[in-house]
Amino acid sequence: MDLSIKGVPEDQVRRLRERARANHRSLQGELRALLDEAIGTPRPLTVDEIVERVSGLGLPRRDEAARLIREDRDR
């Protein structure tokens, strides 16, 4: 999708170009990087974050899951 911003002050455009040059990016690339920072592009979860989320689901522990599987197989 294409976006357009009208009426950007020349000083801001100059500073954006300088920032893009300093980061070895095109102006478009710099603007995309700024958007990623602003909207919080998803990052991979850490192990601790995964454990925290999974533990809140009320799922059976590993030994409990093994017991349930054994019971199911024995039926």
Side-chain angles (χ1 to χ4, degrees):
M1 170 175 271
D2 293 335
L3 300 175
S4 175
I5 302 173
K6 296 179 175 138
V8 179
E10 195 58 40
D11 181 57
Q12 285 182 343
V13 174
R14 180 186 51 76
R15 291 188 346 237
L16 280 168
R17 287 180 196 221
E18 289 171 1
R19 180 181 168 134
R21 191 176 309 114
N23 290 320
H24 307 286
R25 292 192 269 249
S26 66
L27 182 57
Q28 291 287 329
E30 189 65 26
L31 291 169
R32 284 190 198 109
L34 286 168
L35 284 172
D36 284 343
E37 286 177 29
I39 62 174
T41 300
R43 62 169 174 71
L45 295 174
T46 65
V47 172
D48 290 337
E49 290 170 329
I50 293 170
V51 169
E52 183 180 324
R53 289 183 184 194
V54 170
S55 65
L57 296 176
L59 300 172
R61 293 188 343 251
R62 182 182 293 176
D63 56 340
E64 180 68 9
R67 184 186 64 76
L68 291 171
I69 291 169
R70 263 189 248 104
E71 284 179 12
D72 188 53
R73 288 181 182 162
D74 291 342
R75 282 195 280 167

